[in-house]
Amino acid sequence: MDITPILDDLNKKQREAVTAPPNALLILAGAGSGKTRVLTHRIAWLIDVEGLSPHNLLAVTFTNKAATEMKNRVENLLNTSVDRLWIGTFHGLAHRLLRRHWKEAKLTQNFQIIDSRDQIQLIKKVIKNLKLDESKWLAKNVQYFINKQKDEGLRPQDLDDEGQLDRLTQINIYGEYQEICNYSNLVDFAELLLKAYELLQNNSNVLQQYQKQFKYLLVDEFQDTNAIQYKWLKLLAGKKGIPFVVGDDDQSIYRWRGARVEHILQFQNDFPTTSVIKLEQNYRSTGTILEAANAIIANNESRMGKSLWTDDSQGELIKIYAAFNERDEANFIINRLIDWNSMGNPRSEVAILYRSNAQSRVLEETLVNKNIPYRVFGGLRFFERAEIKDALAYLRLAVNQNDDSAFERIVNKPTRGIGARTLEILRQYAKNHNCSMWEAIKGIADKKSHARSNASMLGFITLIERINREITDLSLHNKVDYVISQSGLITLFQKEKNQTGEARIENLKELVSAARSFTYNLNDEISQTDAFLSQAALEAGEGQAEEWEDCVQLMTMHAAKGLEFQLVFISGMEDGLVPHQRSINDSSGVEEERRLCYVAITRAKQNLFITYAEQRRLHGVDIFSPPSRFISEIPDNLIEPIKSTALTYRSKSLSLPSKNQKENYTSGSQRSIKLGQLVRHTKFGDGIILAYEGEGAHARVHVNFENVGTKWLVLSYANLDLL
């Protein structure tokens, strides 16, 4: 038997993993260590050498694309078909089981799978049937609650209301929703996994059938499994099944989606005979990049521990640029990109990473100004994002009531009782009277009616007229800020209570920054507001570069997982961004942020730039933040610091200087407040001003106090001493 094709291109540790005796195995595969190769070669080894039928193997991946590629690789290695191999995503394999055993699963043969949008519509129907306030009980929030419970393997009857009325209502909605799904023969994505688990748990014959069939279970990206996925795997494995799981606890970055890095840590307890093999040789990055990544991740306590290394060269030092502000940062990055491209290197081998989607705006603007093609990987350009279009539509309608497209976009967003039927009446009225939708709504609303929709229409008219009146004499950024605050969009997204809602709010606040920094030519024949709206429309309309074009990739650090580039820029490396503000006071949250930083660094193959800004206008607010604590974890011998010539250096430690002067704040001395200003509060102690916003009596400051953390204070009441 010639096994050369299976073993020939593997290193020692990879061969050890591929050829290990058929016992439980945990493969800790570091970034760029060839985990997919090991997984595919292991399948080929089990079939060709151990004599297992493909029918006896179950292989789980996280994408259909990965499953297809893996199957093709195995067939190429063995030079034969492996169609009987069970390989696919968790959802795909669960669906296959349910189609086979629909009776045992208490389904009908023709059950239908509903997508996220269909699920939302059904939840809305339940909320309406229960006569709940639709403005309070947002379908997206309820969807998140339902799917989260299913991911934990919990039915409505398993849940405790914990004495909370809101939680009781959520449980009731979940129960009603599931009853409709059961009656209508509908299965959502989360239900696929839970139903498949219950199928095996409640039907011993079915469970025994598959435990006997699947002698070997192989799982990719094991660190990303959630509770129900792991329960399902353990149930299938039983006492005789042999799991072969591949993962990296240092790359577990999806806690917010239910992934549990703890599964890697507890695997050996659940399967006591487990052997652990570490894949530490990296085939992607230079020695310098790997040493930096190792040094950072070593600060995490909740990890099994490994250290990446390479036979490749040490490579260039990591460049760390201390920018004056976000524009200085963007210019630096784009200029380095231009230099790279001028030497004959393709733009497609360059990625610019950031923590928050809102950070892309200034980078996009700089790229557009320099005529450099780009794509936002896995997302939309700033001005293409729905919440930005919503806010701009409010502004457009406020300054031009005849803008029908703006009218239709926001007339019922947030929901205010002007539904599809009312909209159709308005369209017909506008058509019959040859007028705008705004004139139509005024014409219909002026007619005395007790209909609920009439009150809603009058409320909308009042809102737009008030916005129009109040923004007349405001500066552009204050106009945008006022429109956003009055539109109800912030409140709408706050109700979502998840990271998507937070990201939308961040983007809306960043729109204020865009307006503040907008350059207006006084010679233009249109107003500053119209010029800004036109520019936004042009940027949204240009579209991204085509996939075939040589363009730079912009993406979040999360989206970068699994990818690699010759040149990587990691921007916005400041405390508050990396680690994110919401995780900064949570040890487990900081550890996940450190893992995210580790993932970002290990995307780089040859060249890595890390940038931070001493002052950043983000979300409409000027912020002073220290460099990310993760930067200080990189050994000095691995970095080459670069400072902006415009930068006044401040120490990372932010230690308080000697108190040689005090000034008490009054409402008339706001100009003396500066970012980075040291202050003292009678209750909270010493702190430093991170940001300020607003004007006059309502001016606010964001202060990081040494002993109590960050606080927002109204200046006119705070009685701060300036140090």
Side-chain angles (χ1 to χ4, degrees), residues 171-226:
I171 295 170
N172 289 337
I173 297 173
Y174 179 11
E176 291 289 327
Y177 163 82
Q178 199 56 51
E179 280 192 22
I180 294 176
C181 286
N182 295 342
Y183 177 78
S184 305
N185 208 29
L186 303 175
V187 177
D188 59 52
F189 286 150
E191 182 73 9
L192 281 171
L193 293 173
L194 180 52
K195 203 77 163 175
Y197 173 73
E198 291 172 340
L199 165 69
L200 299 176
Q201 189 182 44
N202 300 330
N203 296 273
S204 59
N205 291 337
V206 176
L207 176 62
Q208 289 171 17
Q209 174 188 335
Y210 288 103
Q211 285 180 339
K212 184 178 179 181
Q213 177 180 334
F214 299 132
K215 295 181 171 62
Y216 220 92
L217 293 84
L218 304 102
V219 186
D220 194 12
E221 303 288 1
F222 183 63
Q223 78 280 349
D224 292 336
T225 53
N226 63 27

Side-chain angles (χ1 to χ4, degrees), residues 407 411 418 421-431 436-437 440-442 444 457:
F407 179 96
V411 67
I418 304 175
R421 185 170 173 272
T422 304
L423 264 176
E424 191 52 45
I425 293 171
L426 290 171
R427 292 190 192 103
Q428 195 59 49
Y429 184 101
K431 182 180 179 180
S436 67
M437 294 286 281
I441 197 171
K442 292 198 72 173
I444 292 175
M457 288 189 289

Side-chain angles (χ1 to χ4, degrees), residues 337 340-341 345-352 367 371-377 381 543-555 565 567:
L337 166 63
W340 162 273
N341 189 228
N345 299 306
R347 299 189 194 96
S348 58
E349 279 294 335
V350 181
I352 305 174
L367 287 163
N371 294 313
I372 298 173
Y374 71 93
R375 290 185 64 80
V376 178
F377 182 86
R381 293 162 50 124
Q544 304 193 48
E546 300 295 336
E547 290 189 15
W548 48 263
E549 238 181 306
D550 183 29
C551 59
V552 62
Q553 304 287 316
L554 272 63
M555 66 191 74
F565 302 89
L567 170 61

Side-chain angles (χ1 to χ4, degrees), residues 416-650:
R416 53 175 58 90
I418 304 175
R421 185 170 173 272
T422 304
L423 264 176
E424 191 52 45
I425 293 171
L426 290 171
R427 292 190 192 103
Q428 195 59 49
Y429 184 101
K431 182 180 179 180
N432 295 340
H433 293 79
N434 193 27
C435 65
S436 67
M437 294 286 281
W438 177 259
E439 291 169 321
I441 197 171
K442 292 198 72 173
I444 292 175
D446 282 343
K447 297 176 181 179
K448 302 297 182 183
S449 171
H450 297 291
R452 179 186 172 190
S453 61
N454 194 71
S456 300
M457 288 189 289
L458 287 170
F460 181 68
I461 293 168
T462 302
L463 171 64
I464 299 302
E465 288 180 340
R466 184 175 74 250
I467 292 175
N468 172 269
R469 185 171 60 252
E470 294 295 331
I471 67 173
T472 301
D473 299 322
L474 296 179
S475 61
L476 178 60
H477 75 274
N478 282 325
K479 283 182 180 179
V480 174
D481 192 21
Y482 184 83
V483 166
I484 291 172
S485 67
Q486 296 299 307
S487 67
L489 293 172
I490 294 287
T491 303
L492 173 66
F493 299 134
Q494 282 174 337
K495 291 178 181 176
E496 290 188 13
K497 297 178 181 178
N498 55 38
Q499 290 200 7
T500 301
E502 290 176 10
R504 294 187 190 280
I505 293 170
E506 287 179 353
N507 284 332
L508 287 175
K509 291 179 177 179
E510 185 61 19
L511 184 61
V512 180
S513 292
R516 189 190 291 265
S517 61
F518 176 68
T519 303
Y520 175 59
N521 188 343
L522 293 174
N523 295 322
D524 288 346
E525 296 180 359
I526 57 176
S527 69
Q528 186 182 21
T529 303
D530 287 336
F532 176 70
L533 288 169
S534 298
Q535 182 64 31
L538 288 170
E539 289 200 23
E542 280 184 0
Q544 304 193 48
E546 300 295 336
E547 290 189 15
W548 48 263
E549 238 181 306
D550 183 29
C551 59
V552 62
Q553 304 287 316
L554 272 63
M555 66 191 74
T556 64
M557 296 162 80
H558 281 98
K561 188 172 180 291
L563 304 177
E564 58 183 44
F565 302 89
Q566 290 291 340
L567 170 61
V568 171
F569 296 92
I570 306 176
S571 64
M573 281 290 285
E574 302 131 35
D575 270 7
L577 283 175
V578 188
H580 198 277
Q581 190 63 46
R582 64 172 167 262
S583 302
I584 211 162
N585 295 317
D586 173 25
S587 59
S588 62
V590 170
E591 289 211 349
E592 175 136 336
E593 292 286 312
R594 186 176 282 110
R595 292 195 291 270
L596 184 61
C597 181
Y598 173 87
V599 167
I601 287 174
T602 54
R603 300 310 94 194
K605 297 165 74 173
Q606 293 294 326
N607 299 96
L608 175 63
F609 286 80
I610 295 174
T611 64
Y612 67 91
E614 292 268 329
Q615 177 181 323
R616 182 179 299 276
R617 181 169 290 161
L618 190 63
H619 318 324
V621 180
D622 288 319
I623 299 172
F624 168 79
S625 299
S628 170
R629 63 194 66 187
F630 302 148
I631 292 178
S632 64
E633 295 172 358
I634 302 174
D636 290 342
N637 66 302
L638 302 177
I639 64 177
E640 179 183 334
I642 306 172
K643 291 182 196 167
S644 169
T645 56
L647 180 66
T648 302
Y649 178 74
R650 293 189 195 89

Side-chain angles (χ1 to χ4, degrees), residues 16 67 76 158 234 247 366 558 667 684 695:
E16 183 182 342
N76 288 334
D158 302 322
K234 285 197 297 180
T366 308
H558 281 98
S667 59
F684 302 134
E695 299 174 359

Side-chain angles (χ1 to χ4, degrees), residues 253-406:
I253 59 174
Y254 297 121
R255 185 175 64 157
W256 49 278
R257 287 199 320 212
R260 294 185 177 181
V261 68
E262 299 87 351
H263 291 160
I264 282 186
L265 303 176
Q266 74 182 64
F267 185 80
Q268 289 173 280
N269 293 328
D270 293 332
F271 299 93
T273 61
T274 297
S275 298
V276 178
I277 298 175
K278 298 179 181 181
L279 303 183
E280 298 172 299
Q281 184 173 0
N282 177 280
Y283 292 92
R284 176 187 301 156
S285 306
T286 64
T288 295
I289 292 170
L290 295 179
E291 285 182 37
N294 288 334
I296 289 174
I297 202 64
N299 290 278
N300 272 5
E301 295 181 1
S302 301
R303 62 189 296 260
M304 295 188 69
K306 63 181 178 306
S307 185
L308 298 180
W309 60 276
T310 180
D311 280 336
D312 199 357
S313 66
Q314 195 65 14
E316 296 186 20
L317 295 175
I318 298 167
K319 311 297 192 299
I320 298 183
Y321 183 67
F324 173 66
N325 57 24
E326 74 280 0
R327 294 199 168 276
D328 181 28
E329 178 186 53
N331 280 321
F332 173 83
I333 290 172
I334 306 315
N335 287 335
R336 298 294 77 73
L337 166 63
I338 293 170
D339 292 343
W340 162 273
N341 189 228
S342 68
M343 293 187 291
N345 299 306
R347 299 189 194 96
S348 58
E349 279 294 335
V350 181
I352 305 174
L353 311 184
Y354 38 80
R355 178 63 178 85
S356 168
N357 268 309
Q359 293 171 249
S360 78
R361 185 192 63 81
V362 176
L363 292 163
E364 289 184 56
E365 187 177 299
T366 308
L367 287 163
V368 169
N369 290 339
K370 293 184 182 283
N371 294 313
I372 298 173
Y374 71 93
R375 290 185 64 80
V376 178
F377 182 86
L380 298 170
R381 293 162 50 124
F382 183 80
F383 285 103
E384 292 175 337
R385 295 166 192 166
E387 60 275 13
I388 300 300
K389 289 186 173 184
D390 292 339
L392 292 176
Y394 270 99
L395 181 59
R396 285 164 50 195
L397 191 63
V399 299
N400 176 18
Q401 280 82 54
N402 292 322
D403 189 331
D404 283 353
S405 65

